[in-house]
Amino acid sequence: MLTLAELSKALRRAKTTWGPVEVSPELRGWSYDKPPVKPPAYPGLALSDFAYGYCPTYRNIYLKYVLGERGGPSKTLQEGQVLHSVLFKALEDFCRYAYAGVPMSPGLEGVPEDLRDKAEALYKYVAARLIGEYSYALAARLARSRDAAVFYASPIATQVAVDGAPLGLGYVVADGLALGAVVEFKFGPAPNVEAALAGYAMAIEADWGVPVDYGIHVQISVNHAVEYRVTAYPLGDSARSKFLEARDEAVDVAASGRDPGAPPQCPKTCPFYAACHAGGGR
């Protein structure tokens, strides 16, 4: 999934469309010791709990971090979690195939029965793409070593964790890093993905001290076939400011302990939908 050629094309398209990325020094993640990057408090929030803006009033933050409720994964969320696991397993299995000759196999243990067809279709698609690209890179002499052929086929380092404490967050786990860009795979709705990508980039900048100027969103659909769309975003001042605005509102709710109330309309995919709407909401 996502070869070197696809990633480089997406980044080249973004640079051509939007031009050079402009990032003010005070909006780099490593400026975490002073506003606006410095958080108003340090509650250790999960980035995914607020950056995508699923709850307009951030009541999910109140329920989780103030009242300690856990919520319940919706069907959409559960499907996304399963397919993410299958995708990461396929990428890991490909490395074992390339370096040790271990055949790739879906291994669907633990996958719910109603998701097995989708999980198997995704795994087989990723395996076929990676093995095909790997073989092509070797045969066409694009790669002169096994390492290089693996890089051509699968250039993404997956599930990269950094310490988000300087930004008021817990550990931040990016789906992937490739060519200096942060990568996010989505199987369901992806509102505010540009701001969320900026959050991942700023957390990496804060922890590692290196600039991350682009984010790549990969929207994947798995039905009878696997389809995906790749979009690269420049992570300039606008995206970073949107992330910090969401972060500050979420931190305020967690640190103050105030109940912001349920929004007029809630997405039914929210893990806390039942908590807010049982008995007409709180």
Side-chain angles (χ1 to χ4, degrees):
M1 177 64 72
L2 284 194
T3 64
L4 178 62
E6 288 177 301
L7 283 169
S8 59
K9 181 179 180 181
L11 290 170
R12 190 165 57 247
R13 188 187 308 127
K15 292 173 183 175
T16 302
T17 303
W18 286 292
V21 181
E22 297 183 1
V23 181
S24 300
E26 64 270 21
L27 291 178
R28 288 292 189 186
W30 54 71
S31 298
Y32 55 79
D33 57 341
K34 48 188 175 297
V37 177
K38 182 179 180 180
Y42 296 88
L45 302 179
L47 187 150
S48 58
D49 282 341
F50 66 89
Y52 292 101
Y54 291 119
C55 181
T57 63
Y58 300 97
R59 193 164 196 259
N60 63 319
I61 298 293
Y62 170 76
L63 294 170
K64 179 176 178 179
Y65 294 93
V66 179
L67 298 188
E69 295 192 15
R70 298 175 62 96
S74 65
K75 181 173 175 55
T76 301
L77 183 59
Q78 183 185 38
E79 180 174 316
Q81 291 172 339
V82 168
L83 294 180
H84 266 94
S85 297
V86 170
L87 175 60
F88 293 140
K89 181 179 187 302
L91 294 170
E92 289 182 6
D93 286 355
F94 167 67
C95 290
R96 281 190 281 272
Y97 164 82
Y99 290 110
V102 178
M104 294 185 68
S105 172
L108 300 177
E109 298 83 2
V111 174
E113 189 65 33
D114 61 333
L115 293 176
R116 283 181 168 253
D117 287 347
K118 287 188 175 183
E120 185 172 11
L122 176 64
Y123 186 97
K124 288 184 174 179
Y125 175 82
V126 175
R129 282 227 60 194
L130 295 182
I131 291 174
E133 189 71 12
Y134 174 75
S135 300
Y136 170 73
L138 287 173
R141 294 187 60 76
L142 294 174
R144 306 304 170 90
S145 69
R146 185 175 303 178
D147 276 345
V150 169
F151 179 67
Y152 269 95
S154 182
I156 302 176
T158 59
Q159 297 182 284
V160 178
V162 297
D163 184 3
L167 303 185
L169 311 176
Y171 270 86
V172 174
V173 183
D175 277 353
L177 287 176
L179 302 182
V182 63
V183 180
E184 183 74 351
F185 299 107
K186 298 298 290 185
F187 291 90
N192 300 328
V193 69
E194 190 177 352
L197 285 167
Y200 287 112
M202 294 174 72
I204 293 168
E205 291 177 349
D207 201 28
W208 295 353
V210 297
V212 180
D213 289 345
Y214 288 92
I216 296 174
H217 167 214
V218 186
Q219 186 69 43
I220 306 172
S221 171
V222 186
N223 289 302
H224 298 297
V226 177
E227 297 179 348
Y228 62 95
R229 183 178 67 253
V230 184
T231 307
Y233 292 96
L235 303 178
D237 286 0
S238 175
R240 290 163 187 262
S241 295
K242 289 178 183 175
F243 167 75
L244 291 175
E245 181 180 348
R247 190 272 319 257
D248 287 353
E249 288 192 42
V251 167
D252 177 64
V253 170
S256 69
R258 67 178 173 85
D259 183 354
Q265 291 185 322
C266 297
K268 293 189 177 180
T269 54
C270 176
F272 295 97
Y273 185 88
C276 284
H277 291 275
R282 300 183 184 189

